[in-house]
Amino acid sequence: MPRVSQDQLDARRQEILAAARACFARHGYEGATVRRLEEATGLSRGAIFHHFRDKDSLFLAVAEDDAAAMVETVARNGLVQVMRDLLARAISPDTTGWLGSQLEVSRRLRTDPAFARRWAERSAAIAEATRDRLARQREAGVLRDDVPIDVLARFLELAYDGLVLHLAMGRPAGDLGPVLDLVEEAVRRR
């Protein structure tokens, strides 16, 4: 039997995550049955669950993967840039899938206490990256200093959540650039 390299395993895992993200976005957590996951990935349940313990672990891995990418962007460029990137990719099927996954995370946070406990750590990482970025911006003299960092972070998080909801509802994205300019201007030093 040929030996599979770690790179091949990692690539297969990423393929499963991408297909599962689209499946969860399209059908929701409950509607993304194992059969639908098999169809979306083109793999058997054995192949899928070789990489992930169960459907819940697969969903959490999709959400964690999205959160890790977001933390990286926030740390490097800030939450407003995450919003600009999201707006630029709003019509992409990958973004649509990502939006659906975000809505599903929100739903499960309200309805599944065990998921909410597991997710709290990931959510805290995004919030910490946002606050760290804001603190660095304030030290550099770019960020307004008359509002506490926690308040600015909450403001940006609310703007982000509103953008996600707006796009997930299928509302037009083309005219939102100036809105994001306003959000960014609101946190800048005057």
Side-chain angles (χ1 to χ4, degrees):
M1 182 179 226
R3 188 170 185 146
V4 179
S5 74
Q6 188 60 47
D7 288 343
Q8 290 170 313
L9 288 172
D10 292 345
R12 176 55 55 96
R13 185 177 193 280
Q14 289 305 313
E15 290 170 8
I16 294 169
L17 286 172
R21 178 178 293 106
C23 190
F24 286 128
R26 187 173 307 113
H27 302 289
Y29 179 80
E30 283 80 15
T33 62
V34 173
R35 179 177 301 271
R36 284 184 169 150
L37 288 166
E38 288 174 320
E39 290 169 3
T41 61
L43 299 171
S44 70
R45 71 185 60 215
I48 296 168
F49 296 120
H50 170 77
H51 294 273
F52 303 94
R53 185 177 68 240
D54 53 25
K55 187 172 98 169
D56 196 51
S57 297
L58 175 57
F59 180 76
L60 189 61
V62 166
E64 286 174 336
D65 194 50
D66 292 344
M70 187 172 166
V71 166
E72 186 178 312
T73 302
V74 168
R76 192 176 53 249
N77 300 311
L79 191 54
V80 173
Q81 188 60 49
V82 170
M83 291 185 260
R84 290 189 189 285
D85 292 349
L86 180 57
L87 192 57
R89 299 185 327 261
I91 59 170
S92 160
D94 288 343
T95 301
T96 304
W98 181 84
L99 288 167
S101 294
Q102 292 303 296
L103 292 177
E104 190 62 24
V105 165
S106 296
R107 187 193 68 76
R108 292 203 55 210
L109 287 171
R110 288 188 326 276
T111 61
D112 184 344
F115 179 83
R117 284 189 298 275
R118 291 176 69 187
W119 184 250
E121 180 180 313
R122 284 72 181 177
S123 180
I126 295 168
E128 182 180 344
T130 299
R131 284 170 179 73
D132 289 349
R133 168 76 180 179
L134 290 172
R136 288 193 310 273
Q137 291 295 92
R138 180 170 280 168
E139 288 171 13
V142 175
L143 197 67
R144 61 189 295 171
D145 57 6
D146 61 327
V147 177
I149 295 257
D150 284 345
V151 172
L152 292 174
R154 286 263 168 101
F155 170 72
L156 292 174
E157 289 164 4
L158 285 172
Y160 169 80
D161 290 345
L163 177 63
V164 168
L165 181 60
H166 180 92
L167 295 174
M169 291 173 59
R171 291 184 173 163
D175 59 349
L176 295 179
V179 174
L180 293 184
D181 292 342
L182 182 61
V183 169
E184 190 165 23
E185 190 62 34
V187 299
R188 296 259 178 219
R189 173 170 269 163
R190 298 171 195 209

